[in-house]
Amino acid sequence: MCTTCGCGDTELVPVELHEKILAGNDRAARHNREHFLEARVLALNLMGSPGAGKTAVLEATAKAAAAKGWRLGAVSADLATDNDARRLQKAGIPSKAITTGQACHLDAELVHRSLHDFPWRDTDMFFIENVGNLVCPAIYDLGQAANVVVLSVTEGEDKPLKYPVMFNAADLVLLTKCDLVPHLDVELAKIHDALARVMPRPRMIEVSARTGQGMDAWVAWLEELRDGIGLGGADAHAHGHEHSHAHSHEHAHGDERHSHAHSHDGHEHEHGSADHHGHARGGKHDHD
């Protein structure tokens, strides 16, 4: 059980407290977003089940993005170990581990703290690899520009219907391990149909980190997103403003340490009561 959000347990987390936590997280997320936009860094929240292929996708992304000359960076969250961060470092992505202990998701303050003493300003794209979980991460804004959900073909065709909040918050779904489809009893059309029922703007790319399938389409989507929010162009970083991350802003480091939420600049979604991106919303097989 997550000790910070209650995982929907109203006995553990009264509504008033939960709303206060989300409000505190919103403030931290806005601060993160200001930093990312000022530095002209595209930040993405990468979510998905344990073993869905989040780290493997980033490893493959490092290879695919090399031709573009993109500089990537990442923080990788897990309850224990820095295994994923070390994998990303080996793949050529400067990375930092966030060990959450009992927390089943990242919050904006944890992301903010991870930015200290890390050269994230030297990147074009900054990936926030969230804790493996299809529930809690969906409702916490981290200051990212977009949400990407990694879903593997081995997880079941009805996964989006079982976890609608996660997929409702997604800007893109990466369907991973597609090289395994010939060996599985899975119908991709059913996954497409399930996503169409829960995503406001359904968009899915079928990929395989092992074979490279779909990576060109994924990189093209990233480029489209960068251009769409004004971060594209070879001289993007030349227009950024260097400033020290040592600042005088006040942050909640006490009881609101795990305060959380979500706001996508440049995107309009229809979230319901949990408006993670500042908009109204309705409602790894890692081969390791």
Side-chain angles (χ1 to χ4, degrees):
M1 172 66 70
C2 172
T3 58
T4 59
C5 75
C7 296
D9 187 341
T10 55
E11 294 292 330
L12 180 62
V13 181
V15 172
E16 300 80 18
L17 177 57
H18 199 192
E19 289 178 350
K20 180 179 179 181
I21 288 174
L22 291 175
N25 184 83
D26 278 338
R27 290 192 295 271
R30 286 194 296 269
H31 184 67
N32 288 348
R33 184 167 292 105
E34 289 170 1
H35 278 314
F36 291 133
L37 291 176
E38 175 201 18
R40 303 185 67 81
V41 172
L42 178 65
L44 298 110
N45 184 12
L46 195 67
M47 300 179 286
S49 300
K54 298 184 293 297
T55 306
V57 162
L58 291 181
E59 290 172 324
T61 301
K63 298 177 183 177
K68 296 282 186 180
W70 290 343
R71 298 168 294 178
L72 308 182
V75 288
S76 185
D78 230 327
L79 272 67
T81 85
D82 61 352
N83 292 351
D84 291 344
R86 287 190 286 107
R87 281 179 57 183
L88 296 180
Q89 287 277 10
K90 188 176 180 179
I93 303 177
S95 306
K96 186 174 183 178
I98 301 177
T99 304
T100 63
Q102 291 182 316
C104 59
H105 56 273
L106 285 175
D107 63 36
E109 181 62 26
L110 285 173
V111 172
H112 178 80
R113 292 179 185 181
S114 75
L115 300 181
H116 292 276
D117 303 316
F118 185 76
W120 64 273
R121 290 180 179 278
D122 297 332
T123 69
D124 297 300
M125 294 184 191
F126 185 73
F127 293 94
I128 304 167
E129 184 180 6
N130 220 309
V131 178
N133 184 352
L134 281 179
V135 184
C136 304
I139 65 171
Y140 296 108
D141 185 5
L142 306 178
Q144 73 280 5
N147 279 334
V148 177
V149 176
V150 176
L151 172 69
S152 76
V153 295
T154 60
E155 292 183 69
E157 299 158 338
D158 61 348
K159 190 68 72 178
L161 301 179
K162 290 183 175 181
Y163 298 90
V165 175
M166 172 62 73
F167 293 92
N168 180 266
D171 295 285
L172 176 73
V173 171
L174 292 178
L175 185 66
T176 60
K177 308 178 191 179
C178 285
D179 54 301
L180 297 178
V181 170
H183 311 288
L184 302 172
D185 290 326
V186 58
E187 294 183 36
L188 298 187
K190 290 184 178 180
I191 299 177
H192 280 279
D193 179 69
L195 288 174
R197 295 170 184 267
V198 296
M199 284 183 73
R201 297 180 181 179
R203 189 160 185 180
M204 183 175 85
I205 299 175
E206 299 170 12
V207 303
S208 167
R210 173 170 287 179
T211 67
Q213 173 188 345
M215 294 310 297
D216 287 345
W218 161 232
V219 168
W221 184 85
L222 290 171
E223 189 164 37
E224 176 186 327
L225 180 61
R226 290 184 75 216
D227 292 341
I229 60 178
L231 299 181
D235 62 343
H237 264 276
H239 301 292
H241 300 288
E242 279 297 324
H243 96 163
S244 170
H245 204 70
H247 46 71
S248 60
H249 299 283
E250 286 208 2
H251 307 291
H253 292 288
D255 294 336
E256 287 187 351
R257 189 174 84 88
H258 287 285
S259 47
H260 321 256
H262 243 142
S263 167
H264 284 204
D265 295 343
H267 295 276
E268 282 200 16
H269 306 292
E270 294 185 345
H271 282 257
S273 56
D275 178 8
H276 323 34
H277 310 300
H279 304 292
R281 274 215 176 202
K284 295 180 175 170
H285 187 116
D286 275 81
H287 291 299
D288 50 11

